[in-house]
């Protein structure tokens, strides 16, 4: 069998040549790959929503960016600002912890010898 770099490069005839353990590993990797693709889509959506949120803050003259552009910011309740910032920080910290934990669990370009 020729060397494959990606899961999707295997066709049905090649899959039949795999041992049971290789097939199980390939299926698990394929499921993990699907989840990573879902994650990429979610990250892209969050990136879009984040830009939309920043645009909203600027349009409503809530963001300090307005001051740099010659606009004037409206007064904004400090307690609400802190609640928004702390919520976003906590979410980002939790996400970073998850990513770091999983990154330690996955050794890139590492395969099991059969």
């Amino acid at each position: 069998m020729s060397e494959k770099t990606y899961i999707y490069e295997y066709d049905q005839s090649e899959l039949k040549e795999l041992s049971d353990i290789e097939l199980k590993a390939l299926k698990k990797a394929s499921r993990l790959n699907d989840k990573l693709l879902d994650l990429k889509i979610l990250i892209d959506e969050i990136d879009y929503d984040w830009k939309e949120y920043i645009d909203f803050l600027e349009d409503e003259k809530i963001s300090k960016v307005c001051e740099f552009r010659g606009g004037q910011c409206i007064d904004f309740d400090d307690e609400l600002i802190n609640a928004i910032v702390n919520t976003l920080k906590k979410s980002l910290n939790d996400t970073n912890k998850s990513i770091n934990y999983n990154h330690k669990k996955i050794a890139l370009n590492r395969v099991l010898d059969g």
Side-chain angles (χ1 to χ4, degrees), residues 43-77:
I43 288 171
D44 289 344
E45 289 175 2
I46 290 171
D47 187 49
Y48 175 81
D49 291 343
W50 187 252
K51 183 185 178 315
E52 195 174 74
Y53 179 66
I54 297 297
D55 289 346
F56 162 76
L57 293 177
E58 291 176 9
D59 291 345
E60 297 299 321
K61 300 197 180 315
I62 296 169
S63 172
K64 292 289 184 185
V65 174
C66 294
E67 291 178 355
F68 295 112
R69 295 186 177 166
Q72 192 162 13
C73 292
I74 62 171
D75 289 334
F76 206 66
D77 182 63

Side-chain angles (χ1 to χ4, degrees), residues 17-60:
E17 294 176 18
L18 297 176
S19 68
D20 287 343
I21 192 72
E22 289 172 324
L23 195 55
K24 284 180 186 177
L26 186 64
K27 286 179 181 179
K28 286 181 181 286
S30 183
R31 282 194 298 272
L32 182 58
N33 185 60
D34 289 344
K35 288 180 182 182
L36 289 171
L37 291 174
D38 291 344
L39 181 61
K40 184 194 179 313
I41 291 168
L42 184 59
I43 288 171
D44 289 344
E45 289 175 2
I46 290 171
D47 187 49
Y48 175 81
D49 291 343
W50 187 252
K51 183 185 178 315
E52 195 174 74
Y53 179 66
I54 297 297
D55 289 346
F56 162 76
L57 293 177
E58 291 176 9
D59 291 345
E60 297 299 321

